[in-house]
Amino acid sequence: MTAAWAGWTLWAAVRTAGELSDDAFITLRYAENFARGNGLVFNPGERVFGCTEPLLAMLLGAARWVLGLPLPILATALHSVGLLALASLVLLGAARTGRTLPGAVAGSLILALPFSWSLQGFAWPWVGALLAGAALLAAQRPLLSGVLAGLAVGFRPDALLGVALVGFFGGANPVGSRKPFLRWIAGAALTLILLSLSAWLWFGHLLPATLAAKQAFAAGSGRAGTRSGWGFWPAAWPVFTRIFGAWLAPVAVLWGVVGGTQGMARLRRGKDPVFPILVGFGAALAVAYPMLEVPFWSWYVILPLFALLLGLTQCLVLLKTPDANVGRRIFALPALLALLAAALFAIRGWSTVDQAGPRVALYRQTAAWIDQSAPPSARIAAFEVGTLAFYADRPVDDLLGLVSPQYVAAVREGNWAGALLASRADLVVLTGGSRINPRAPWFSRRYRPVTEITVGDERAAVYVYRRRGPARPVSPGSPRDGRNSPRSPRG
């Protein structure tokens, strides 16, 4: 099974090499500067904690420095290894109970779903793999288990929920002695302290500024606001209908939750610690993201989705249990149908697995134009900054505040014009239907259009504007911009 998975992983990695979304390029921009010796920064000289996944950026930067390979290719390679490790650990945990079928099915779907491969450049496979490895080692190697669990937080801060679960299901249940649990606590605590101290010394903050920026975006943008809080999971629902089908998606969620709950109760003190950790972590994230008021993005869904798949596979146990009555086996059939639907989607969906899409291609072309037409010191302002900053290799102001926290207050008010007016940018990059109206008098007085960039037959376009005079940033509380006047879109 592992050999077959390795072969598939190699094929999928070659098939999707370098296909990253714009947000993933933010991490790659940090990694590139780290490889150059500039430190973990987005813009050289600016120590802003705008990278949600700092250990991934450092790992990619180190690989870039040692191997010299392009970072998008390294991101795919690292993603592939993490994904294969996660699937293998799920199988290993299931094999400890003598029930390899659920682990084999879950691991195969983790590797086969195009959704898994369209989310490259993010740390979620390594978070899952580190927590699963920590769970497996909690009893025999508690100190190492604690270290692995702590490192998961360095890949993503929300992994702290998983650390608590590892401590509860693994470290807190030692056999015959409290010493293993104390060693686990020591390993996890030491790792977390070192990570926190490093972040504080370098950035002056313990947590990334991205959380505040995403919350501000949800508060200041009507569309994003409907996709946060109570609207988070309704916005994510198309992901489930695409994988399971419109009719089976509710069945998949219901049976996955039931199977996950029963499996956690059955395996809490059993031989498979991986299942309760990953299912519990996915469930915790499913609750945490709406509570945090962050707008839905696809990478938030992947680990809760895997928890659901693990719950569905637990229903398959009823089909193979000799003493299961007819009613229990009939109960397991909807879960089987949902898993078959996911497998069918995995087979058919590979013709459309392309997370990069036309938007990243547009930004790459724009970056190429900037590289040829603007001096190295030219500063860019944009609402999507990952691809632009990585390929143009220029300092960038992020008008959404992810890597430019000085604009978060304006973003929270929906004051996009105020954010731009406070910028020192020489070039402004906008897309059609942008939050800023380029026909507004204040914008025309400040900037002039210089080029329009399109790619292929796509209707989308990118427009580049150049500052008319020297940079004169003002307060982010300056006049706001609507579609036809400098008033706020929120009235």
Side-chain angles (χ1 to χ4, degrees):
M1 177 64 73
T2 304
W5 282 355
W8 165 262
T9 301
L10 180 61
W11 178 86
V14 173
R15 164 71 173 77
T16 62
E19 294 182 357
L20 278 65
S21 68
D22 185 77
D23 292 271
F25 278 102
I26 292 178
T27 302
L28 266 61
R29 170 71 167 171
Y30 274 89
E32 183 68 46
N33 278 314
F34 187 75
R36 293 174 178 175
N38 296 326
L40 199 62
V41 295
F42 188 80
N43 294 322
E46 301 175 13
R47 297 190 184 185
V48 175
F49 201 173
C51 181
T52 312
E53 303 167 336
L55 283 189
L56 177 64
M58 294 175 67
L59 190 58
L60 285 169
R64 166 74 167 156
W65 183 76
V66 172
L67 301 175
L69 296 175
L71 273 169
I73 301 302
L74 290 172
T76 298
L78 200 61
H79 179 87
S80 305
V81 174
L83 206 58
L84 181 60
L86 176 59
S88 301
L89 290 169
V90 168
L91 178 61
L92 181 59
R96 287 190 173 189
T97 66
R99 295 171 175 172
T100 58
L101 177 62
V105 172
S108 297
L109 286 175
I110 288 172
L111 288 171
L113 284 174
F115 193 45
S116 300
W117 293 90
S118 65
L119 295 175
Q120 297 181 31
F122 301 101
W124 60 266
W126 284 98
V127 170
L130 286 168
L131 291 176
L136 284 169
L137 293 171
Q140 290 80 22
R141 302 288 297 277
L143 183 63
L144 178 58
S145 170
V147 171
L148 293 179
L151 286 175
V153 179
F155 278 89
R156 280 197 66 89
D158 49 22
L160 193 60
L161 295 170
V163 175
L165 287 168
V166 175
F168 179 72
F169 286 107
N173 294 309
V175 179
S177 173
R178 302 299 297 180
K179 290 184 179 180
F181 183 44
L182 294 177
R183 286 198 290 268
W184 184 89
I185 288 288
L190 180 61
T191 304
L192 292 175
I193 290 172
L194 289 175
L195 289 173
S196 301
L197 183 61
S198 300
W200 180 263
L201 291 175
W202 182 255
F203 296 112
H205 298 280
L206 293 179
L207 294 174
T210 52
L211 176 59
K214 291 171 184 176
Q215 291 172 332
F217 181 49
S221 171
R223 182 173 180 271
T226 63
R227 295 157 61 92
S228 63
W230 290 104
F232 182 92
W233 285 110
W237 188 246
V239 173
F240 296 91
T241 58
R242 191 160 59 248
I243 293 174
F244 299 105
W247 293 100
L248 280 175
V251 173
V253 172
L254 179 59
W255 262 255
V257 170
V258 171
T261 302
Q262 290 183 343
M264 289 184 70
R266 186 167 55 247
L267 297 173
R268 176 181 172 184
R269 297 183 181 276
K271 297 180 180 179
D272 179 9
V274 174
F275 180 90
I277 296 305
L278 293 183
V279 170
F281 183 48
L285 293 178
V287 175
Y289 289 143
M291 291 181 63
L292 290 172
E293 296 287 340
V294 295
F296 159 75
W297 298 109
S298 53
W299 55 84
Y300 288 144
V301 178
I302 190 70
L303 289 175
L305 172 64
F306 286 165
L308 201 67
L309 291 174
L310 286 168
L312 288 170
T313 59
Q314 280 301 305
C315 295
L316 299 181
V317 174
L318 298 176
L319 297 175
K320 293 192 66 179
T321 303
D323 58 349
N325 56 36
V326 175
R328 289 190 173 186
R329 293 185 179 181
I330 292 176
F331 174 81
L333 288 179
L336 177 61
L337 291 176
L339 289 169
L340 289 174
L344 184 61
F345 169 76
I347 295 172
R348 293 179 174 178
W350 273 89
S351 60
T352 59
V353 56
D354 180 9
Q355 176 70 5
R359 182 63 62 90
V360 169
L362 274 169
Y363 285 135
R364 287 193 64 173
Q365 291 283 1
T366 305
W369 182 90
I370 291 173
D371 192 47
Q372 296 176 359
S373 308
S377 60
R379 196 172 190 92
I380 308 164
F383 286 99
E384 293 179 300
V385 300
T387 312
L388 277 173
F390 182 79
Y391 285 106
D393 198 17
R394 302 295 197 279
V396 173
D397 282 350
D398 175 16
L399 298 180
L400 290 183
L402 291 171
V403 296
S404 302
Q406 65 268 30
Y407 305 128
V408 168
V411 170
R412 186 175 296 278
E413 297 176 0
N415 186 8
W416 317 113
L420 179 57
L421 285 168
S423 169
R424 297 178 287 112
D426 304 292
L427 299 171
V428 179
V429 176
L430 302 177
T431 57
S434 174
R435 299 172 182 85
I436 287 180
N437 180 13
R439 297 177 182 175
W442 71 267
F443 187 92
S444 300
R445 289 193 299 267
R446 194 177 179 93
Y447 301 100
R448 60 182 176 85
V450 288
T451 188
E452 174 185 342
I453 296 172
T454 58
V455 174
D457 296 328
E458 298 292 339
R459 295 181 179 179
V462 167
Y463 306 92
V464 182
Y465 301 84
R466 192 186 300 274
R467 181 182 293 276
R468 292 184 182 274
R472 294 177 181 175
V474 297
S475 168
S478 296
R480 307 176 183 191
D481 181 45
R483 292 305 305 152
N484 297 306
S485 71
R487 297 181 60 195
S488 167
R490 300 178 67 184

